[in-house]
Amino acid sequence: MGEGVDARFNSKLREAFGSSPFILTKFDQFMNWVRGSSMFMLQFGIACCSIEMMHTYAVKHDLDRFGAGVPRASPRQADVIIVPGTIVSKFAPRMKRVYDQMPEPKFVVGMGSCTISGGPFQEGYNVIKGAEEVIPVDIHVPGCPPRPEALVYGIAKLQERIANGETSPVTVKPYELEQFSELDDDELVQHLADRIDEEELVMRYDWAESPVLEALLGDHVIGRERHRNAEAFVVRPDEVQDALFLLRDEAGFDHCSCVTAQEYEDRYESIYHLRKYDDPTQEVGVVVPTATDAPVSESAEPVYRTADWHEREAYDLVGIDYDDHPQLERILLPETWQGHPLSLDYDQEQPQVVTFSEHANPLNEDQRAEADSDTMFVNIGPHHPATHGVLHLKTTLDGEQVADVESDIGYLHRCEEQICQNSTYRHQIMPYPDRWDYISAGILNEWAYARAAEDMADIDVPEYAQVIRTMSAELCRIASHMLALGTFALDVYGDFTAIFMYATRDREVVQNILEDLTGQRLMFNYLRLGGVAWDLPEPREEFFESIRDFLEDLPEKLEEYHDLVTSNEIFQMRCVDTGVLEPEIAKSYGATGPVARGSGIDYDLRRDDPYGYYDELDWDVITEEGCDNYARVLVRLQEVEESAKIIEQCVDLLAEWPEEDRTIQSNVPRTLKPDPDTEIYRSVEGAKGELGIYMRSDGTEKPARFKIRSPCFSNLQTLPEMSQGEYIPDLIASLGSLDIVLGEVDR
Amino acid sequence: MSNPWIAIGALTLVSIIIPVSMTVVSALLRPSVPEQGKTAVYESGEVPTGDTRIRFNIQYYMVALLFVVFDIETVLIFPWTVIYRDGVQQFGMAQVLVPMLVFIGVLVVGLAWAWRNGAVQWVASDRANEPGQTAD
Ligand code: SF4
């Protein structure tokens, strides 16, 4: 082997020439120059960092200038893999597989602190502490996320190293394929389920005086609780369905926004947060306590279809069993996981094993004999450009048709809830919401937490800060919808098209404005409890001017999008009347946001459950009656216009705000300790829909339970309804039109 | 006039040499790290379920057949266009144009027939529309 040249480049030719291939030196230099100057990147996105990675590929930063641009969707055609994001247990073997399938020599760029050490999620029970645990990394680009410039620099450094023939050593770690039998654990739970002690449960609750709902629920109610947002009724674990049916059909609570499960010292509890689509301020909670030694309660799935996934999550993370549930399996964690991480006695140190094996075709046996042709089971994802992240669709195809589709999630389950539970209300939680819906929707998410925490601890927000919040949140919404449009065009047209580049171009403008305001392009961390972090940047006029310029150009750009996208005949053929989601079905799945509004459901928390400065401003809620993929795109495009209206009014208000009234934060104590046993569920209209937070305090400065109601989680559940029996391309379009973010689905 | 088979032979030779030399050169130059995963089928990072030996839907054959028909059509039309002018001069319009028109006409009839029979349209199967059994 030659001087200074790594074993990684050792080829047959070198071996043939023995240990000192003098004549190969020049040739080596040439080969390394070639390798460095024409790098084929793998199109590989994991988490928030991949958004900045996309910006690095696209206009403005244009990685292609450095001979390393066009991303390839298949590992067989790529020799550089940028690992952008948090790696969790379930994803690690898949990532290893994709890496293995790249041809030699291959190079790895670790992007973001998550690939260095697990980053902000290092403490998570499910998070791999750095990419190096799985594959060898050549260059680490630190940052959370690194700016595109930093990534460009990292890649330039990699090219330099390749040109010099140095790389990190290859360690080949073959991933063992292991088969596991059924969990012994489950049998135990089953056994315990038979011994539930209901008498004891009833004892713990006092009967309260009965208003209308209680009269309606009658004997089902065994107690009352008062949550900050709503009254809650305690219901016997074996009468959940009856109670919920009554509430849904008689009292009109047709929206089950969330199911929170938690463990107390003496019991388990599932809380169903119900509200009405017509008037979301009408809320009620249904609390179902179960005994610690046998946590079994009746499933709500027959009443609200959305409870299916919510209860699976509760089973997975907390360990409550739901009777009558159609498919009570783990949803976020791998099947083989031992223990329930959010239960009290979970030991995070215990080793876990993750399997990596075939998935079964659900339609294989029953139809093989009669039909003329077989069904084919195809994995779409977790590494697939059309899944918008690390989602796995177990698809069974009958020819060109989708006979069955099931989403398999959890490839980005970063333990957000656990981490928030281990952080203090006052400062430590706020950075995390940015990383739920990481498509630049940070401030919208921060607001969800801010709203819940402020209502919980009775903190006022100065009006001036509310206007700033409203303005910045709507800027985030525009950025988020732009990406939704760009990636949807990518799904439908099938390549990095002009539309994607246009959308990135406009996002860059928004991101620059937000960077001026907050100091970050993506993870803003700008809201504080009781206000915002700091005032608008000086000189204010210049800042306002930049926003006004953007708003002025926007109508023309939207016109352009309509020309490119919505009025394009091919686009219409792909989207009109495909992925139909009837409003009734959408409601039973708890769909919200543009997905619900595209099905004609007039539901927008900004108007219906007002917060911030929205009710003082003049804007409209957009709905479309089409119920199809096209309607959802139209809703998003029009919402951008509405957001622009809101921003414009906010800018005018802020420009005229008297200088002495510019209070950006109210007085908030240094440590927040809400009263013990305060419970609250509060939600805001995030970019994708109703983003809610449930919190319970135990009198300390950290929440005892922190539950995130993610709009994408509920929206994604509608996918089988939209695509079963449809063609494959329609499945892809439907998935794209849902605009999911895996960071928020998996949390 | 030299033997036209020489040109064809040369073409054959080149078409063999190019791929073979590409394979050989890259085999010499590339480092080899044999790994279990590398030889496996790539399916979005998952382990593929089942193999490719399944009974494909009959409708794919119709598409394939139509494709072959029109592929061959192109193969025949290209040389014809190259010699068209010379041909007209030598044999006259009728001799050169009419057979090709007849040929295309036959194909068009075939296409129209296939179209009418719905061969270019996917016939939805009952099984996919109402899955007897879903995953749960
Ligand atoms: S948290 Fe997100 S942005 Fe930060 S390093 Fe990890 S993947 Fe990147």
Side-chain angles (χ1 to χ4, degrees):
Chain A
M1 215 195 307
E3 198 79 18
V5 176
D6 217 290
R8 183 110 153 238
F9 298 110
N10 215 1
S11 58
K12 288 242 170 57
L13 200 60
R14 300 188 133 276
E15 273 160 22
F17 276 92
S19 58
S20 58
F22 171 71
I23 50 161
L24 284 186
T25 316
K26 277 275 174 271
F27 183 67
D28 272 340
Q29 280 172 6
F30 171 71
M31 281 308 290
N32 286 337
W33 173 77
V34 169
R35 279 167 187 154
S37 326
S38 129
M39 302 208 288
F40 285 75
M41 318 305 259
L42 181 65
Q43 190 176 340
F44 184 72
I46 307 178
C48 359
C49 277
S50 40
I51 303 298
E52 285 295 64
M53 184 186 72
M54 277 159 55
H55 276 260
T56 317
Y57 289 138
V59 283
K60 184 172 168 192
H61 299 290
D62 190 13
L63 192 57
D64 212 9
R65 288 178 293 166
F66 305 95
V70 190
R72 305 274 136 180
S74 160
R76 306 287 196 198
Q77 300 171 343
D79 59 359
V80 181
I81 174 173
I82 301 179
V83 183
T86 328
I87 304 152
V88 302
S89 67
K90 206 167 161 185
F91 190 59
R94 276 84 188 175
M95 183 171 92
K96 174 81 172 79
R97 168 54 64 95
V98 170
Y99 170 79
D100 282 350
Q101 294 186 330
M102 287 164 59
E104 306 291 333
K106 50 196 165 193
F107 311 98
V108 182
V109 179
M111 183 182 182
S113 26
C114 282
T115 55
I116 298 176
S117 63
F121 299 101
Q122 197 178 22
E123 305 287 303
Y125 47 83
N126 191 28
V127 175
I128 306 282
K129 319 286 181 265
E132 210 108 52
E133 305 263 319
V134 191
I135 56 177
V137 177
D138 291 289
I139 293 274
H140 280 295
V141 184
C144 182
R147 299 176 61 88
E149 292 88 337
L151 183 60
V152 171
Y153 180 72
I155 286 169
K157 277 285 163 205
L158 176 66
Q159 289 173 326
E160 217 171 88
R161 293 188 68 182
I162 295 174
N164 294 334
E166 14 164 322
T167 55
S168 65
V170 182
T171 37
V172 184
K173 301 183 196 166
Y175 205 88
E176 299 296 335
L177 304 183
E178 285 180 75
Q179 303 290 333
F180 283 83
S181 59
E182 290 291 294
L183 278 183
D184 306 332
D185 220 54
D186 286 355
E187 269 168 23
L188 199 68
V189 173
Q190 271 308 322
H191 173 68
L192 290 173
D194 303 331
R195 299 190 327 193
I196 182 164
D197 187 356
E198 276 156 15
E199 295 304 296
E200 219 178 86
L201 282 176
V202 181
M203 296 296 293
R204 266 198 293 278
Y205 293 94
D206 300 326
W207 293 83
E209 77 280 35
S210 55
V212 191
L213 282 180
E214 191 164 323
L216 175 70
L217 290 175
D219 278 352
H220 299 306
V221 176
I222 52 175
R224 299 276 304 265
E225 280 186 14
R226 196 170 292 257
H227 296 173
R228 269 301 170 103
N229 57 316
E231 289 286 311
F233 297 101
V234 183
V235 167
R236 288 168 56 97
D238 53 353
E239 288 173 1
V240 180
Q241 284 178 13
D242 293 342
L244 291 180
F245 269 126
L246 280 171
L247 285 173
R248 187 190 76 180
D249 299 335
E250 307 292 326
F253 288 97
D254 52 355
H255 178 27
C256 174
S257 10
C258 182
V259 181
T260 307
Q262 52 185 330
E263 186 184 1
Y264 287 85
E265 288 298 336
D266 58 348
R267 65 180 187 279
Y268 282 94
E269 206 175 83
S270 324
I271 309 175
Y272 297 85
H273 304 278
L274 310 180
R275 55 191 351 185
K276 296 180 179 175
Y277 269 106
D278 292 337
D279 178 9
T281 51
Q282 295 201 30
E283 296 175 64
V284 66
V286 172
V287 181
V288 186
T290 45
T292 310
D293 55 353
V296 181
S297 69
E298 204 177 32
S299 166
E301 194 270 342
V303 195
Y304 304 102
R305 286 286 293 122
T306 183
D308 180 353
W309 276 21
H310 283 283
E311 285 173 351
R312 270 176 75 185
E313 185 189 318
Y315 163 74
D316 192 356
L317 301 185
V318 184
I320 300 180
D321 246 318
Y322 293 91
D323 243 350
D324 206 17
H325 189 283
Q327 185 192 9
L328 198 62
E329 290 167 5
R330 289 195 180 265
I331 183 167
L332 294 174
L333 292 170
E335 294 278 307
T336 46
W337 201 265
Q338 301 291 317
H340 302 278
L342 294 186
S343 62
L344 293 180
D345 57 354
Y346 180 71
D347 171 20
Q348 202 180 320
E349 302 301 311
Q350 75 179 332
Q352 302 280 359
V353 196
V354 182
T355 49
F356 183 47
S357 55
E358 277 178 39
H359 299 278
N361 177 346
L363 301 185
N364 212 3
E365 278 87 44
D366 51 315
Q367 280 139 340
R368 210 179 173 111
E370 313 113 57
D372 315 328
S373 59
D374 294 339
T375 55
M376 181 160 67
F377 181 88
V378 177
N379 294 297
I380 304 182
H383 166 243
H384 194 284
T387 51
H388 294 208
V390 282
L391 167 72
H392 173 211
L393 292 181
K394 300 177 185 173
T395 325
T396 311
L397 302 180
D398 181 9
E400 283 293 284
Q401 282 182 295
V402 177
D404 185 70
V405 60
E406 196 197 335
S407 340
D408 176 20
I409 61 176
Y411 294 92
L412 193 54
H413 175 52
R414 305 192 276 192
C415 328
E416 304 262 14
E417 290 175 3
Q418 174 216 22
I419 283 170
C420 289
Q421 278 163 215
N422 294 341
S423 309
T424 58
Y425 293 104
R426 187 70 176 90
H427 290 296
Q428 290 176 348
I429 294 180
M430 198 54 95
Y432 286 98
D434 286 318
R435 288 159 180 82
W436 301 341
D437 174 0
Y438 45 69
I439 314 278
S440 296
I443 292 177
L444 295 156
N445 307 349
E446 288 171 25
W447 207 342
Y449 169 62
R451 188 176 188 206
E454 281 156 5
D455 284 358
M456 188 172 189
D458 289 322
I459 300 171
D460 290 326
V461 183
E463 215 162 284
Y464 181 65
Q466 292 285 30
V467 181
I468 298 182
R469 281 182 176 187
T470 312
M471 178 190 75
S472 46
E474 290 309 309
L475 281 168
C476 285
R477 193 181 311 276
I478 292 185
S480 171
H481 282 359
M482 285 292 171
L483 193 82
L485 179 75
T487 47
F488 186 58
L490 198 125
D491 291 337
V492 171
Y493 294 124
D495 211 340
F496 277 100
T497 51
I499 301 152
F500 181 78
M501 293 297 168
Y502 280 31
T504 329
R505 174 200 66 187
D506 295 343
R507 270 172 58 83
E508 282 287 348
V509 181
V510 183
Q511 283 188 310
N512 284 344
I513 296 174
L514 284 167
E515 189 182 358
D516 287 344
L517 179 67
T518 66
Q520 240 276 23
R521 281 166 56 87
L522 208 58
M523 301 300 162
F524 310 109
N525 191 16
Y526 178 61
L527 265 49
R528 294 288 179 272
L529 298 188
V532 293
W534 45 69
D535 202 351
L536 305 179
E538 296 288 348
R540 293 163 69 92
E541 276 62 44
E542 225 169 81
F543 180 65
F544 292 139
E545 210 41 51
S546 67
I547 300 183
R548 288 205 174 108
D549 281 349
F550 167 67
L551 295 179
E552 208 169 296
D553 294 345
L554 198 61
E556 198 186 323
K557 287 172 174 167
L558 284 171
E559 197 53 42
E560 208 168 48
Y561 286 119
H562 279 295
D563 286 348
L564 280 166
V565 184
T566 49
S567 56
N568 181 328
E569 222 172 295
I570 299 174
F571 184 84
Q572 290 177 356
M573 275 169 71
R574 289 286 308 272
C575 297
V576 175
D577 281 336
T578 59
V580 177
L581 183 67
E582 297 299 336
E584 281 318 306
I585 294 175
K587 281 182 181 177
S588 77
Y589 279 99
T592 49
V595 175
R597 292 193 285 271
S599 290
I601 300 171
D602 194 9
Y603 181 77
D604 190 323
L605 293 174
R606 289 174 291 172
R607 179 201 60 198
D608 300 336
D609 182 14
Y611 57 96
Y613 215 68
Y614 287 112
D615 45 355
E616 313 275 327
L617 304 173
D618 176 30
W619 60 282
D620 295 313
V621 175
I622 303 292
T623 51
E624 284 284 334
E625 299 296 326
C627 305
D628 52 6
N629 293 335
Y630 193 64
R632 290 186 274 276
V633 174
L634 283 184
V635 167
R636 290 203 182 91
L637 272 172
Q638 295 173 56
E639 274 182 14
V640 169
E641 278 171 47
E642 294 303 318
S643 296
K645 268 198 224 164
I646 298 176
I647 296 168
E648 202 174 353
Q649 296 169 49
C650 288
V651 170
D652 291 345
L653 280 168
L654 289 172
E656 260 134 51
W657 211 273
E659 195 154 353
E660 56 286 359
D661 279 355
R662 292 181 194 159
T663 340
I664 49 158
Q665 259 183 54
S666 57
N667 267 334
V668 182
R670 266 185 164 273
T671 43
L672 267 189
K673 288 184 183 168
D675 299 333
D677 271 322
T678 322
E679 294 178 53
I680 189 166
Y681 173 78
R682 271 271 176 269
S683 50
V684 298
E685 186 70 30
K688 322 286 193 250
E690 176 182 341
L691 177 62
I693 309 283
Y694 165 87
M695 277 191 293
R696 173 170 66 85
S697 72
D698 55 0
T700 64
E701 52 179 357
K702 297 174 182 172
R705 178 77 173 104
F706 190 98
K707 160 86 190 163
I708 308 158
R709 188 273 180 200
S710 132
C712 293
F713 185 76
S714 299
N715 291 352
L716 179 59
Q717 275 191 82
T718 60
L719 184 67
E721 296 283 349
M722 289 159 57
S723 38
Q724 231 145 42
E726 305 290 320
Y727 297 123
I728 314 166
D730 297 342
L731 164 74
I732 299 298
S734 307
L735 180 62
S737 79
L738 286 177
D739 185 25
I740 50 159
V741 182
L742 271 300
E744 197 179 67
V745 173
D746 292 348
R747 287 152 291 140
Chain B
M1 202 175 104
S2 63
N3 191 344
W5 288 103
I6 294 180
I8 291 182
L11 193 66
T12 319
L13 216 62
V14 168
S15 64
I16 291 170
I17 288 174
I18 287 182
V20 168
S21 65
M22 281 166 107
T23 322
V24 168
V25 168
S26 77
L28 281 177
L29 291 183
R30 70 157 182 258
S32 103
V33 182
E35 268 164 321
Q36 186 190 23
K38 200 172 272 163
T39 46
V41 176
Y42 167 68
E43 198 175 299
S44 308
E46 285 289 342
V47 184
T49 299
D51 54 14
T52 47
R53 308 206 150 269
I54 60 168
R55 285 172 296 167
F56 275 98
N57 197 302
I58 188 82
Q59 298 186 54
Y60 286 117
Y61 293 101
M62 287 311 292
V63 177
L65 268 179
L66 283 176
F67 171 75
V68 168
V69 167
F70 288 99
D71 207 34
I72 289 174
E73 174 187 345
T74 337
V75 168
L76 292 177
I77 287 178
F78 266 111
W80 173 78
T81 47
V82 171
I83 57 153
Y84 179 68
R85 251 158 230 258
D86 297 343
V88 170
Q89 269 173 15
Q90 220 173 330
F91 305 106
M93 184 78 123
Q95 287 264 351
V96 180
L97 189 59
V98 172
M100 186 47 91
L101 285 183
V102 171
F103 173 62
I104 294 177
V106 170
L107 284 181
V108 167
V109 171
L111 177 67
W113 179 82
W115 199 306
R116 256 201 64 204
N117 276 289
V120 290
Q121 206 142 45
W122 192 269
V123 181
S125 83
D126 296 340
R127 174 172 57 180
N129 287 337
E130 297 163 38
Q133 211 177 350
T134 49
D136 43 51

